[in-house]
Amino acid sequence: MALGCDPPEAVLIPPKPPSRAPIWVFAVAVITIAAALHLQLKFGDLAQGLGDLVGYIQRYRDPAWQELPGDVPLIFQTLAMGVWGTFIAFAIAATLLLWSTRNLAPTGLTYQVARGALNFFRAMPDFLLALVFVAAVGLGPLPGVIALGLHSSGFLGKALAESLERLPKGTYEGVTASGATRFQVLMFAGWPSISREVVGFGLYTFDRNVRTAMLLGIVGAGGIGMRLKESIDLRDYSRSASIIVLIIITVLAIDTLSDGLRRRLR
Amino acid sequence: MAEFAKGLFTAPDWRYLPDLSARMLETVEIAVVATVLATLVSFPLGLLAAHNTTPWVPIGWLVKGFLALLRAVPEVLWALLFVAGVGLGVLPGVIAITVATIGFLGKFFAESFEVVPTGPIEGVAAHGASGLAQRTFGVLPLAMPDVLGQFLYGLDSSMRFATILGYVGAGGIGFDMMEARRLFKYDRLIMIIVAVAIVIALIDWLSDAIRRRLF
C-alpha cells in the first residue's frame, strides 16, 4: 500500500495528550522546598560543619585492634538475637497465616483483623518497640529479641500471605475436593508450593534482623550496640572505631552469605 | 513487666497533642527532604554504576563499591556521626538519612538501568543517537516506573529512620520518645507510639495508591 494513496484523515493521529509528569515534579519540588524552609535547614551549616566533621572522623583513625577478641562474643550474641527474632517472627506469622490469607480466612472480618495486626507490627519501627520493651523488661538481649520478632513478623506474615494468595486456584481446589479442612488445605496445598519462597523470605528477614540487632544495643537491648554506645559515651574513639569496623565486616559478610544462598535457591 | 503494662494503659495526655503534631510534621519533613535529596544524588550515581550506562566500566565498580560502603555502615551510626560533626538539630538528621538512602537507592537505580531490554536501546541507537541520547531517550524512560517505585520505598524507609533520629539528637519525634520513656510519661508514650504507627501506615497507603495508579 503506497503511502501517497491514503486519504489524509486515515493517517491523522490525534496529538499526544500533554504529559502530566511536570505537574508531579513541580508538586514534589514545592513540597520539598516548603519542608526544607519550615525546618529552617541551613545547608551553609553543613559546609562549616564539614570541617568539624573531618576533624571528628579523624579521631577514629586509630582502631584499637587488641580489644577485638573481647567483642567477638557480643557479635555472636547479636547473631543469636537475629536468629531468635526471626524464629519468633515465623512463629507469629505462621500462627496468623491461616487468617491473614484472603482465600483461607473463615470470614472477611478475621482476615481484616489478622492483616491489621500484621500491618501494625510492620509499621512500628523496631527501635521504638525495643525502647518500650527495654523499659518493660530491663536491659539485655531479651527486649531486643521480642522487638525484632514482633516487627519482622509483620513483614514476614504479609509476604507469606501474599505468596499464598498468588497461587493458582486449582492447587487449592484439588486438595479441598478431597475433603480437607482449611488447615489441611494450607499444609498440603499452600505450604509445599511456597516453601522455596519461604526460605528466601526467611533469609531476608534474618539478614534484616541481624542488621537491626547490631544497633538495638544502642537503646540498651543487648548485643554489640551496647558496647558501641558505651565506648562512644566514654569518648573512647579508638575502641569505637574497632567496634564499627567489626560491625561493618560482619554486616558485609552476612550480606554476601545471604545473597549467595539466595542466588543458589533460584 | 506487669507494672509497665499497667502504667502504659493510662489515659493519653491530650494537652500534648499540638506538640506531638508539630514534632510528627517535623519528622515527616525530614524524611521527605532527605529522600528527595537522596534521589537527586542517586540518579547520576546509579547511571555511573550501571554497567550499561557507565562511561567506563571500572568507574561502575568504584561507584558500586562506594554505595556498598554507604550501605554497610548502620544508619544509626550515620546519625551519630553527623550529630557529632554538625551539632544537634535537624540538619544532621537530614544528612544522615540522605547518605544512608543514597546507599540503597543508588544500588536499586543501577539495577533498574541494567535490566532495561536492549531492543529499544538498539532502536534509539539506529536513529543515530549518541551515547547520552541513548541513555536519556532509551534507558531512562524504560527504567522510570521502577525508579518511581524505588523512590516510594525510599520514602517509607526514610520515614522509619526519621522516627529514630531524635534518639541521638538529630531532630524529630525520637527525642520525645526517649524523653517520655525516661521520665516515665507513659501517657505521652502511648500517644507517640500510636502517632508513629498512624503516620507510617498513612505513608504506606499513599505509596500503595500511587503505585496502583502507575502500574
Side-chain angles (χ1 to χ4, degrees):
Chain A
M1 193 159 73
L3 264 176
C5 300
D6 293 307
E9 308 83 80
V11 299
L12 257 185
I13 307 173
K16 179 177 169 193
S19 161
R20 285 216 227 130
I23 305 184
W24 286 103
V25 172
F26 182 66
V28 168
V30 165
I31 294 179
T32 317
I33 297 182
L37 287 176
H38 185 235
L39 289 174
Q40 296 169 325
L41 281 180
K42 292 184 206 64
F43 283 100
D45 283 353
L46 179 63
Q48 277 182 321
L50 223 51
D52 288 339
L53 193 61
V54 172
Y56 179 73
I57 292 183
Q58 286 203 318
R59 292 185 216 163
Y60 283 85
R61 71 173 174 279
D62 199 18
W65 302 114
Q66 63 274 20
E67 310 263 11
L68 275 184
D71 294 331
V72 173
L74 271 185
I75 291 278
F76 282 112
Q77 187 188 65
T78 316
L79 286 175
M81 280 170 69
V83 170
W84 278 105
T86 315
F87 181 72
I88 293 185
F90 264 110
I92 298 181
T95 319
L96 289 177
L97 196 54
L98 196 56
W99 292 291
S100 46
T101 318
R102 200 187 287 268
N103 46 348
L104 294 175
T107 64
L109 183 62
T110 47
Y111 170 72
Q112 296 291 348
V113 168
R115 272 299 182 94
L118 287 175
N119 278 335
F120 178 73
F121 288 142
R122 207 170 64 105
M124 294 303 298
D126 14 34
F127 268 87
L128 182 46
L129 282 176
L131 254 179
V132 170
F133 282 114
V134 164
V137 301
L139 300 169
L142 179 61
V145 170
I146 303 180
L148 282 176
L150 284 181
H151 175 72
S152 43
S153 73
F155 165 77
L156 195 59
K158 178 171 189 207
L160 289 179
E162 285 182 347
S163 25
L164 277 178
E165 286 170 6
R166 268 200 294 260
L167 287 178
K169 290 271 164 55
T171 325
Y172 290 116
E173 281 177 7
V175 177
T176 321
S178 62
T181 64
R182 268 192 350 270
F183 177 67
Q184 286 171 327
V185 170
L186 175 68
M187 289 305 291
F188 293 109
W191 163 249
S193 313
I194 62 168
S195 54
R196 267 206 160 183
E197 282 182 69
V198 169
V199 178
F201 287 136
L203 277 175
Y204 175 73
T205 313
F206 173 65
D207 185 79
R208 268 189 79 189
N209 280 344
V210 170
R211 278 170 163 252
T212 321
M214 302 253 171
L215 306 167
L216 282 186
I218 294 188
V219 301
I224 196 90
M226 280 182 82
R227 192 152 293 178
L228 181 60
K229 176 143 210 286
E230 252 174 41
S231 54
I232 290 189
D233 281 346
L234 294 174
R235 306 282 186 266
D236 190 349
Y237 294 115
S238 40
R239 193 89 198 291
S240 313
S242 61
I243 296 182
I244 293 177
V245 168
L246 191 57
I247 292 184
I248 294 186
I249 294 181
T250 319
V251 168
L252 282 175
I254 298 210
D255 269 357
T256 338
L257 249 167
S258 58
D259 264 352
L261 274 172
R262 248 181 285 155
R263 232 173 294 129
R264 279 198 152 195
L265 281 178
R266 221 155 281 148
Chain B
M1 176 145 180
E3 304 105 59
F4 176 78
K6 246 184 289 163
L8 199 56
F9 289 105
T10 52
D13 179 8
W14 298 112
R15 288 164 303 157
Y16 179 52
L17 201 57
D19 270 341
L20 177 63
S21 325
R23 280 288 198 204
M24 284 306 300
L25 184 62
E26 184 184 275
T27 315
V28 172
E29 288 174 343
I30 295 179
V32 168
V33 173
T35 316
V36 171
L37 273 179
T39 314
L40 287 175
V41 174
S42 302
F43 223 84
L45 281 182
L47 281 173
L48 282 177
H51 57 66
N52 55 342
T53 55
T54 186
W56 191 37
V57 177
I59 296 189
W61 296 336
L62 267 173
V63 176
K64 281 206 173 165
F66 172 66
L67 290 172
L69 217 62
L70 286 185
R71 274 199 312 281
V73 173
E75 313 154 317
V76 181
L77 208 54
W78 283 124
L80 272 172
L81 215 63
F82 284 109
V83 164
V86 181
L88 296 170
V90 166
L91 184 60
V94 172
I95 308 290
I97 301 188
T98 310
V99 169
T101 312
I102 292 178
F104 64 81
L105 268 192
K107 174 182 185 202
F108 287 166
F109 286 179
E111 288 177 350
S112 313
F113 295 145
E114 284 173 357
V115 298
V116 148
T118 49
I121 314 296
E122 282 178 23
V124 173
H127 277 272
S130 69
L132 186 61
Q134 279 178 42
R135 290 169 181 71
T136 319
F137 296 106
V139 178
L140 282 189
L142 288 170
M144 230 4 120
D146 283 342
V147 163
L148 280 172
Q150 287 147 7
F151 169 75
L152 290 173
Y153 172 76
L155 200 60
D156 185 75
S157 159
S158 304
M159 185 62 208
R160 285 165 206 272
F161 186 17
T163 47
I164 314 163
L165 281 180
Y167 193 76
V168 293
I173 196 86
F175 179 72
D176 289 42
M177 237 190 268
M178 172 181 77
E179 205 184 41
R181 183 185 70 107
R182 293 229 177 120
L183 298 177
F184 300 109
K185 287 207 165 116
Y186 292 136
D187 45 3
R188 289 199 180 180
L189 195 56
I190 336 172
M191 293 182 72
I192 297 179
I193 296 180
V194 169
V196 168
I198 292 181
V199 170
I200 293 194
L202 267 176
I203 296 195
D204 270 353
W205 174 84
L206 200 68
S207 33
D208 264 353
I210 299 184
R211 265 180 232 254
R212 248 176 288 131
R213 291 190 103 211
L214 281 177
F215 301 123

